[in-house]
Amino acid sequence: LLAVTVSLLFLSFTFSSCRKNLPENRIVGSWKLVDVERKRLFNSETITTGYESGTFTFFANGMASFTDAAGTLNGNWNMRKSRDGYYDGNGNWQTDERTVFIINVQDFPNNRVINLYFDRIDFRWSGDKLFAFIDGASYRYRYDFRRQ
């Protein structure tokens, strides 16, 4: 009986720990876009998107907002596993599984819309830093988000 109880406790701890580390659970909270880098084969450059002055907030129910000095945009976010192919930043075709991250927020009365589709993501620093990538055949954009 003791062995069964210990096994059940271990399994419940294991599953609850895994759920906490799922990307869709790690994204919940407020994030600031600190840097966007466009990389090509032989060069890279920092670009400005206009979103650096605001804060993205992602809620557990899939809702999202972006707030800056001009106001608040509301909408949703989504993460899902994808197994279709894509081009990496070096123009090579890849077929590995990746997590796709989509942000759609808008303020239609003020004609403001943000629609971002990231081909893959990578959490760093125990989840306080997020790299989100848009990959093309001859370039790669790397968005650097930091938890607030």
Side-chain angles (χ1 to χ4, degrees):
L1 182 61
L2 180 61
V4 171
T5 304
V6 170
S7 296
L8 289 174
L9 285 173
F10 177 75
L11 284 174
S12 68
F13 175 75
T14 302
F15 286 123
S16 66
S17 295
C18 291
R19 287 178 48 177
K20 179 174 64 174
N21 290 325
L22 290 172
E24 49 273 7
N25 294 337
R26 296 173 75 186
I27 195 70
V28 172
S30 296
W31 295 82
K32 183 142 184 88
L33 179 62
V34 296
D35 184 50
V36 178
E37 184 178 63
R38 179 174 46 205
K39 290 186 164 203
R40 295 181 189 257
L41 186 56
F42 296 109
N43 69 349
S44 64
E45 63 182 308
T46 299
I47 63 168
T48 302
T49 64
Y51 311 139
E52 292 81 3
S53 63
T55 301
F56 289 90
T57 304
F58 305 110
F59 301 95
N61 64 359
M63 301 304 290
S65 67
F66 174 78
T67 304
D68 64 4
T72 300
L73 291 76
N74 292 299
N76 56 54
W77 66 271
N78 187 18
M79 272 189 199
R80 60 181 166 76
K81 293 288 185 187
S82 181
R83 289 183 178 87
D84 59 346
Y86 68 97
Y87 287 100
D88 65 15
N90 296 321
N92 299 316
W93 185 253
Q94 302 291 326
T95 57
D96 55 339
E97 182 178 87
R98 65 197 195 290
T99 301
V100 173
F101 180 36
I102 304 162
I103 305 169
N104 294 307
V105 291
Q106 56 276 328
D107 175 8
F108 291 127
N110 292 307
N111 199 28
R112 297 181 70 203
V113 176
I114 300 173
N115 290 322
L116 295 169
Y117 182 99
F118 296 106
D119 295 299
R120 57 194 170 86
I121 60 170
D122 183 14
F123 283 97
R124 302 280 174 95
W125 294 354
S126 300
D128 290 337
K129 184 174 185 175
L130 170 67
F131 287 141
F133 299 92
I134 300 173
D135 294 317
S138 62
Y139 63 86
R140 177 179 71 202
Y141 290 93
R142 185 194 74 192
Y143 286 64
D144 182 350
F145 292 91
R146 305 290 171 92
R147 186 178 297 280
Q148 297 299 290

